[in-house]
Amino acid sequence: MSSSVPFTVPSVAGEVSDAVVKVLDSGWITTGPQTAAFEQEFADYLGAAHVVMVASCTTAIELCLRALDLPPGSVVLTPSLTFCGAINAILHAGHRPVLVDIDEDTLVPSPATVAAAAERSRPAAMIVQNQGGYPVDVAALAEAAGLDRSRVVEDAAHGPGAQRDGKPVGSESQAACFSFYATKNMPIGEGGAVASADQEFADRVRAMRMHGMSKDSWKRYLPGGSWRYDVKTVGLKANMTDVQSAIGRAQLAALPGWQKERADLVARYDSALHGLPGLVLPQRNLDGVTHAWHLYQVRVQDRDAISAELEAAGVATSVHFIPANQMTAYQAILGAEECAAVPVTDRVGEELLSLPLYPGLSADGQDRVVAALTEALRTRG
């Protein structure tokens, strides 16, 4: 059966089509004036000093790790409950991932789990993930790791606009990395961004997204520009095009309204599902926290069977994430001892189930999700 309630539907602002046509008619479709404008507008939205648009959140993380200029083979702490792209970014940057366990209520590392990982590894840097849109306490985690905050990179793929104690994501770390993938809160299709308060760091990332060249093509081919450039550091091909940026600018204008819809849907889920036997709702300490609500993650026993029953009832679900220590490639790289160091992640990871959550999800659709999940749990009561 095809799903009557999809897991997600990308939101598209009405102005997107006109914005793309204008770029195509302009004669400049790669990185240029639209990208520069998007960087400034996204920086204003985040309250960030500097934003650099890149090809994806994965490349954003890798570029940030490269820009930290760590010694080759340095230890980088990362939660195991993360998307594989974060682990790949560490490896591609030439470093060694060390896995951090999670707190089962917040689904993110705690100071205690970070300290335990740091004690066995002496980390040079750390990636912290804003799981589902919940902004982590960067200062507390950095202190637990024995790291200056300039050695912390936030994976904020789930969290544009999230805040903690009035401070936006990225303000307490060296950089925050965002995703504009098709399923994200502000979808472009592909794309990412690096936000940082450090101008020198942002300039390094900006150069490294274009092979490390001293001038991008926009600067070289403007009237009066020169074809001459230098390569001062080794970089990647990881720039964003003006077509993507034009889409992003239109989407950004719609994002506050979409975020309000997400928060309303979450409140409705909370009310409808509260007290349901066999179900653990998202349990997060929200004091002083503005949650981005990219995901609505519940916990259930017999997760795979329940997911299949919801699918049969016409409700699509997903899982965020299959822990990295359970992946074949990483098991071979990290070894058995390292992969056994995250027992809470292993246990909770078998229970997580992400329910449909997106602007445009109707009340009837949400009621169908609630009814299907209630029935699946009732049969196990």
Side-chain angles (χ1 to χ4, degrees):
M1 169 188 284
S2 62
S3 296
S4 298
V5 183
F7 174 67
T8 187
V9 176
S11 303
V12 179
E15 297 76 16
V16 163
S17 295
D18 288 343
V20 171
V21 169
K22 287 179 181 178
V23 174
L24 295 176
D25 289 343
S26 73
W28 191 274
I29 60 175
T30 187
T31 308
Q34 286 289 328
T35 302
F38 186 25
E39 288 175 339
Q40 184 58 59
E41 290 166 8
F42 195 54
D44 292 342
Y45 174 79
L46 296 173
H50 308 282
V51 164
V52 182
M53 293 298 167
V54 296
S56 69
C57 188
T58 300
T59 54
I61 295 171
E62 181 177 347
L63 287 166
C64 286
L65 292 175
R66 289 173 177 268
L68 289 178
D69 201 23
L70 305 173
S74 292
V75 167
V76 178
L77 300 182
T78 177
S80 185
L81 190 67
T82 189
F83 183 58
C84 59
I87 308 294
N88 288 343
I90 297 171
L91 294 169
H92 290 160
H95 302 308
R96 180 165 67 91
V98 166
L99 304 179
V100 182
D101 213 350
I102 59 168
D103 174 87
E104 67 177 285
D105 291 333
T106 64
L107 304 183
V108 298
S110 67
T113 63
V114 168
E119 186 176 354
R120 70 176 195 270
S121 65
R122 295 187 178 180
M126 176 169 59
I127 296 172
V128 294
Q129 183 185 38
N130 298 297
Q131 173 72 229
Y134 173 77
V136 298
D137 188 340
V138 171
L141 297 186
E143 181 179 2
L147 293 171
D148 186 87
R149 278 179 269 178
S150 64
R151 288 292 179 264
V152 178
V153 174
E154 288 182 72
D155 178 351
H158 295 174
Q163 295 186 2
R164 174 176 283 273
D165 298 326
K167 298 176 182 178
V169 165
S171 61
E172 295 290 284
S173 60
Q174 180 65 10
C177 302
F178 295 87
S179 173
F180 306 125
Y181 182 63
T183 62
K184 296 302 188 289
N185 290 28
M186 196 181 89
I188 292 175
E190 297 288 352
V194 174
S196 179
D198 186 330
Q199 181 171 350
E200 182 179 353
F201 183 86
D203 287 344
R204 290 199 69 192
V205 171
R206 194 179 305 279
M208 288 168 56
R209 72 175 173 181
M210 287 291 287
H211 306 291
M213 296 164 64
S214 59
K215 288 191 291 188
D216 61 28
S217 56
W218 175 244
K219 293 177 181 177
R220 298 200 309 276
Y221 296 119
L222 281 172
S226 170
W227 51 263
R228 189 176 298 279
Y229 62 87
D230 190 13
V231 174
K232 297 181 178 180
T233 187
V234 176
L236 307 173
K237 181 68 167 69
N239 58 307
M240 179 180 284
T241 69
D242 265 20
V243 174
Q244 292 170 290
S245 294
I247 296 172
R249 295 180 70 191
Q251 298 287 76
L252 180 58
L255 182 58
W258 292 339
Q259 290 299 99
K260 175 63 166 58
E261 285 190 61
R262 286 179 178 273
D264 290 344
L265 289 165
V266 165
R268 199 165 184 272
Y269 268 140
D270 286 346
S271 177
L273 297 173
H274 179 72
L276 196 62
L279 181 69
V280 178
L281 296 183
Q283 297 180 26
R284 298 177 174 94
N285 178 7
L286 298 181
D287 290 341
V289 165
T290 299
H291 200 297
W293 287 118
H294 173 58
L295 298 173
Y296 193 84
Q297 294 170 284
V298 300
R299 289 168 53 194
V300 293
Q301 299 295 320
D302 203 14
R303 187 267 317 279
D304 291 4
I306 287 178
S307 176
E309 289 183 33
L310 265 63
E311 181 70 25
V315 174
T317 59
S318 190
V319 170
H320 299 83
F321 296 96
I322 302 170
N325 62 301
Q326 297 177 11
M327 301 288 187
T328 301
Y330 305 139
Q331 289 175 339
I333 292 169
L334 298 173
E337 184 176 352
E338 180 65 25
C339 289
V342 287
V344 178
T345 297
D346 281 331
R347 174 168 54 82
V348 172
E350 295 298 317
E351 303 172 355
L352 290 173
L353 186 67
S354 297
L355 303 183
L357 178 64
Y358 50 90
L361 176 60
S362 68
D364 287 345
Q366 195 173 26
D367 288 345
R368 183 164 182 173
V369 176
V370 171
L373 180 57
T374 301
E375 177 62 19
L377 292 170
R378 185 191 66 79
T379 60
R380 288 164 172 77

